[in-house]
């Protein structure tokens, strides 16, 4: 057996091992994927009432209500094999009794969000950056909004929140006057 034959055989064995490893990785990845972003987020949990915010460039954002006392957000990304859940976070819905207060916020992988009362033009900003907001009554079934105490409420959110910490989280009135200030860490 010549040296060239030995090298060729070793290269074939190495190529076979690389292909086998690639096949195993592909099977693992494809087993954790779904056909749609919603299926990836739901992941068999039929107790979630989802509302999509967007599905764009292989990324999707959803807000959801679970039962009558939890609110959360989830993101999914698309790969060659389908959609995968990236992050899912949820918390108990705060009381929201005082419209001039933000009781809490959630932060997960660059997404920061919370619930508030947008009446009279109230809005939220982080540092100098205004947040997006969605009226919950326009996104979820009216009966569910009533049951959860979220009638007239909105979710504020920002993706890729500024990284410097602490940073102010402000609830402002329609004229830009500060109603409440929290420090985000």
């Amino acid at each position: 057996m010549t040296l060239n034959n030995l090298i060729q055989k070793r290269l074939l064995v190495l190529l076979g091992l690389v292909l086998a490893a690639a096949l195993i990785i592909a099977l693992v990845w494809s087993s954790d994927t779904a056909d749609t972003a919603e299926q990836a987020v739901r992941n068999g949990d039929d107790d979630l009432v989802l509302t999509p915010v967007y599905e764009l460039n292989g990324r999707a954002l959803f807000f959801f209500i679970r039962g009558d006392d939890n609110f959360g957000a989830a993101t999914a990304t698309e790969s060659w094999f389908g959609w995968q859940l990236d992050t899912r976070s949820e918390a108990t819905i705060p009381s929201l009794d005082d419209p001039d207060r933000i009781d809490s916020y959630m932060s997960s992988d660059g997404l920061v969000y919370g619930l508030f009362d947008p009446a009279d033009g109230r809005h939220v900003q982080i540092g100098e950056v205004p947040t997006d907001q969605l009226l919950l009554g326009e996104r979820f079934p009216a009966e569910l909004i009533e049951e959860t105490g979220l009638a007239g409420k909105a979710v504020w959110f920002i993706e890729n929140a500024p990284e410097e910490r602490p940073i102010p989280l402000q609830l402002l009135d329609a004229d830009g006057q500060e109603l409440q200030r929290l420090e985000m860490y």
Side-chain angles (χ1 to χ4, degrees), residues 51-54 61 63 71 99 102 111-126 129-140 152-159 169-174 179:
T51 186
V53 178
Y54 68 81
L61 172 63
F63 287 109
F71 185 84
I102 296 175
L111 172 68
V112 181
Y113 66 96
L115 299 170
F116 80 112
D117 186 339
D120 302 324
R122 291 181 193 88
H123 56 283
V124 176
Q125 74 180 33
I126 296 177
V129 181
T131 62
D132 293 310
Q133 65 185 46
L134 298 173
L135 297 174
L136 298 175
E138 295 175 358
R139 307 298 294 220
F140 290 99
K153 306 301 187 238
V155 58
W156 60 266
F157 67 98
I158 187 170
E159 290 190 275
L169 169 65
Q170 300 167 292
L171 177 64
L172 307 172
D173 67 13
L179 299 171

